[in-house]
Amino acid sequence: MRRVAGGSPLSSRRPSASRAEQRGGAGGHPAAGRGQRCGEGAGGVAAHCPLPPGPPKRFPVAAVDAILKAVLEGCLRERRYEPGLCREMAATVSEVIKARVKDLVLPRYKIVVVTHIGQLNGQGMQIGSRCLWDPATDTFSSYVFKNSSLFALANVYAVYFE
């Protein structure tokens, strides 16, 4: 037994192998049958477990575009710009969009929704965003809504999580 800072005793031996590992039948993993578990290399060192090469299907940008259009037009069509109300509406619209996109059941995609609502007064505005992602698997969708009083911009970022 050895002691770690804090005084708790720890055993220096490795825990015993499971029954499946003792029989050499740990499943279809490349380390199966060699006494290694997924995440362990030789000597208990962390090793890479192979993952599928990417998403089974591409993110449906057209379907998300339709969701953005329906939600923004449905929620904001008759609204007038009021600062307090628009702040709350931006959060509400973002949550509604996120829930509708998650209903598409896209496994392993992380969804980020950002919504801006502002007064339409003849002014100009530029909104930018920067992301670090893989262009082969990650994507985004965007929609701009305007009525006589306000504008709204909704962006959905879909980042594939490996």
Side-chain angles (χ1 to χ4, degrees):
M1 300 278 270
R2 62 186 169 115
R3 292 204 175 263
V4 177
S8 65
L10 291 177
S11 172
S12 61
R13 346 178 257 147
R14 188 173 168 216
S16 63
S18 69
R19 291 189 196 276
E21 288 174 326
Q22 290 170 355
R23 288 192 303 260
H29 188 270
R34 295 192 303 241
Q36 296 175 342
R37 291 178 284 192
C38 184
E40 275 188 355
V45 177
H48 175 71
C49 293
L51 294 173
K57 66 177 186 174
R58 217 40 199 145
F59 187 79
V61 175
V64 175
D65 286 343
I67 289 171
L68 290 173
K69 181 178 180 179
V71 170
L72 288 176
E73 289 180 357
C75 291
L76 302 174
R77 180 179 303 129
E78 301 298 324
R79 298 282 181 172
R80 305 285 310 153
Y81 178 77
E82 297 174 27
L85 178 64
C86 286
R87 184 179 323 118
E88 293 172 15
M89 285 300 295
T92 302
V93 166
S94 291
E95 290 300 320
V96 169
I97 291 169
K98 185 175 175 182
R100 300 248 330 247
V101 171
K102 284 189 172 194
D103 286 344
L104 295 175
V105 187
L106 304 162
R108 300 181 71 185
Y109 270 102
K110 302 298 178 188
I111 306 299
V112 178
V113 180
V114 181
T115 303
H116 303 276
I117 300 176
Q119 185 175 17
L120 191 59
N121 225 9
Q123 77 279 19
M125 178 181 258
Q126 291 184 354
I127 298 173
S129 63
R130 295 175 68 170
C131 300
L132 179 62
W133 67 18
D134 180 3
T137 57
D138 305 336
T139 190
F140 75 98
S141 183
S142 183
Y143 183 76
V144 176
F145 169 82
K146 293 180 185 178
N147 67 16
S148 62
S149 177
L150 58 83
F151 72 91
L153 167 69
N155 291 322
V156 175
Y157 301 97
V159 181
Y160 188 71
F161 184 72
E162 290 189 4

